């Protein structure tokens, strides 16, 4: 598997648009979306460079979230320096360095005026499409213009560094807009279509494709009544030995009440500490996040 899956350059606009898929190897939606996007733009003119990149190649080939470490928790300067200092970094440490160097190389080659990086994910629970953004409020506006719920405030709240926290302007000396999208349940084919629609709208929004070239899709009914902008409120962290089991049937953006029993672990029941919306409840073996709670920003 090549690190760069697809690439297309055209026109004079110096915009680099990166679609990142497979940061988690059990989430094929990202790679499938990259393939679908490049079929759509194959025979049309574009303004700028669009490139599709694989995150964790080894995990993707095995179909697992990660081999040793969650790649989407390793994007910390200290971790990157440690990985570079190793003579022969392995598994996710090697993937981390190769991925960063690949993106740096694309930036050096294209000399862009602006970089957009869209990190495509899926979830173990059923979910509508939503986006996650860092603390750059201009990114909130871009994500919000694409008619899907936007989640803010996760930066610094995870057990490590994510792509959203590392792919920022100051780390690459170029204006950079990073958006992570969660397209739906891993095996639900509609997740690919959702991610495809979102990215096409963003390609049009950024001027890389003309609005008249590709028929843009209407806002899906499933997000019409969801909050447009929410902020992080609570993360239920878990460890491998805690034996956490989420109660079955929860889906992202489902309303939750304070005191509601959400699951169990070896210490007993797990309840919600507050009212809110549940996000990414865990229904898979790997992962250190049992669930998140978010609340609407007024």
């Amino acid at each position: 598997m090549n690190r760069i899956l697809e690439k297309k350059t055209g026109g004079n606009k110096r915009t680099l648009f990166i679609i990142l898929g497979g940061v988690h190897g059990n989430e094929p939606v990202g790679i499938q979306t990259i393939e679908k996007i490049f079929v759509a733009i194959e025979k049309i003119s574009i303004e700028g460079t669009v490139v599709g990149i694989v995150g964790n190649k080894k995990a993707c080939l095995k179909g697992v979230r990660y081999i040793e470490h969650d790649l989407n928790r390793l994007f910390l300067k200290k971790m990157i320096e440690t990985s570079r200092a190793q003579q022969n970094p392995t598994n996710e440490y090697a993937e981390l360095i190769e991925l960063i160097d690949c993106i740096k190389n694309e930036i050096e080659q294209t000399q862009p005026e602006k970089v957009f990086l869209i990190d495509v994910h899926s979830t173990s629970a059923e979910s509508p499409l939503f986006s996650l953004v860092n603390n750059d409020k201009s990114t909130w506006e871009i994500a919000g213009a694409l008619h899907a719920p936007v989640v803010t405030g996760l930066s610094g709240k995870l057990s490590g560094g994510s792509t959203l926290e590392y792919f920022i302007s100051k780390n690459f000396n170029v204006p950079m807009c990073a958006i992570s999208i969660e397209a739906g349940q891993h095996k639900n084919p509609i997740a690919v279509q959702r991610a495809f629609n979102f990215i096409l709208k963003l390609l049009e929004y950024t001027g890389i494709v003309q609005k008249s070239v590709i028929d843009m899709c209407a806002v899906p009914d499933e997000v019409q009544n969801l909050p447009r902008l929410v902020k992080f409120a609570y993360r239920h962290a878990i460890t491998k030995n805690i034996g956490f089991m989420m109660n079955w049937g929860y889906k992202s953006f489902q309303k939750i009440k304070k005191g509601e029993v959400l699951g169990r672990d070896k210490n007993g029941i797990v309840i919600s500490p507050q009212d809110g919306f549940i996000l990414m409840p865990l229904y898979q073996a790997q992962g250190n996040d049992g669930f998140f709670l978010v609340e609407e920003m007024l």
Side-chain angles (χ1 to χ4, degrees):
M1 177 181 287
N2 294 325
R3 181 73 59 190
I4 295 180
L5 285 179
E6 303 277 0
K7 183 175 179 178
K8 181 172 181 175
T9 299
N12 297 315
K13 186 165 183 165
R14 289 172 60 192
T15 301
L16 175 59
F17 192 102
I18 298 167
I19 310 169
L20 181 59
V23 168
H24 293 136
N26 65 329
E27 300 174 15
V29 170
I31 292 174
Q32 293 167 7
T33 300
I34 289 170
E35 293 169 348
K36 191 174 177 67
I37 286 290
F38 276 87
V39 169
I41 67 173
E42 181 181 9
K43 296 181 180 179
I44 67 171
S45 297
I46 67 169
E47 293 287 334
T49 297
V50 183
V51 58
I53 298 177
V54 180
N56 194 334
K57 294 195 301 180
K58 188 175 286 188
C60 285
L61 291 172
K62 290 182 177 292
V64 295
R65 183 177 173 88
Y66 55 82
I67 305 300
E68 290 184 296
H69 305 281
D70 189 332
L71 180 59
N72 208 28
R73 300 294 183 270
L74 298 184
F75 289 93
L76 295 168
K77 287 189 175 181
K78 183 177 180 180
M79 190 66 68
I80 294 165
E81 290 170 0
T82 300
S83 300
R84 288 196 184 280
Q86 297 177 23
Q87 285 190 343
N88 295 296
T90 59
N91 295 325
E92 278 75 25
Y93 297 116
E95 301 281 351
L96 177 69
I97 299 307
E98 290 176 16
L99 176 58
I100 290 172
D101 287 349
C102 176
I103 290 172
K104 283 185 175 179
N105 185 57
E106 290 301 311
I107 292 172
E108 289 174 4
Q109 284 186 16
T110 58
Q111 293 292 300
E113 295 173 351
K114 179 93 175 189
V115 177
F116 292 86
L117 185 139
I118 313 304
D119 185 9
V120 183
H121 289 267
S122 55
T123 54
S124 58
E126 287 295 339
S127 172
L129 182 140
F130 61 93
S131 64
L132 301 101
V133 296
N134 53 31
N135 296 329
D136 180 358
K137 290 192 176 182
S138 66
T139 302
W140 300 11
E141 295 172 2
I142 294 170
L146 302 176
H147 306 294
V150 179
V151 180
T152 70
L154 272 174
S155 295
K157 303 297 193 302
L158 301 173
S159 57
S162 68
T163 56
L164 284 181
E165 294 167 277
Y166 184 73
F167 290 101
I168 57 177
S169 303
K170 72 175 184 178
N171 287 337
F172 291 86
N173 297 315
V174 63
M176 182 172 283
C177 171
I179 300 173
S180 179
I181 63 173
E182 298 284 352
Q185 205 277 336
H186 298 323
K187 297 181 181 179
N188 190 339
I190 199 172
V192 176
Q193 188 63 44
R194 288 170 177 159
F196 174 77
N197 292 348
F198 185 95
I199 291 171
L200 280 186
K201 289 172 185 168
L202 189 52
L203 286 168
E204 182 269 320
Y205 183 93
T206 57
I208 293 173
V209 302
Q210 296 299 310
K211 188 171 184 178
S212 59
V213 172
I214 298 175
D215 184 24
M216 296 298 157
C217 303
V219 179
D221 292 337
E222 64 190 22
V223 303
Q224 294 281 12
N225 298 317
L226 296 180
R228 294 293 299 276
L229 184 64
V230 300
K231 63 181 179 180
F232 169 86
Y234 172 77
R235 169 182 176 251
H236 187 72
I238 60 174
T239 61
K240 190 174 183 179
N241 300 321
I242 198 68
F244 175 77
M245 293 289 291
M246 189 82 201
N247 284 352
W248 188 252
Y250 284 102
K251 60 183 180 180
S252 288
F253 281 94
Q254 183 173 334
K255 284 187 176 181
I256 302 298
K257 292 291 186 182
K258 182 178 180 179
E260 185 171 340
V261 178
L262 301 178
R264 293 182 173 272
D265 60 26
K266 70 178 184 181
N267 297 316
I269 61 172
V270 174
I271 64 172
S272 174
Q274 66 173 79
D275 294 348
F277 298 91
I278 198 166
L279 209 65
M280 295 183 283
L282 185 68
Y283 292 114
Q284 59 189 18
Q286 290 181 308
N288 297 319
D289 307 310
F291 58 87
F292 297 89
L293 295 178
V294 295
E295 54 192 19
E296 191 166 3
M297 292 182 69
L298 302 177

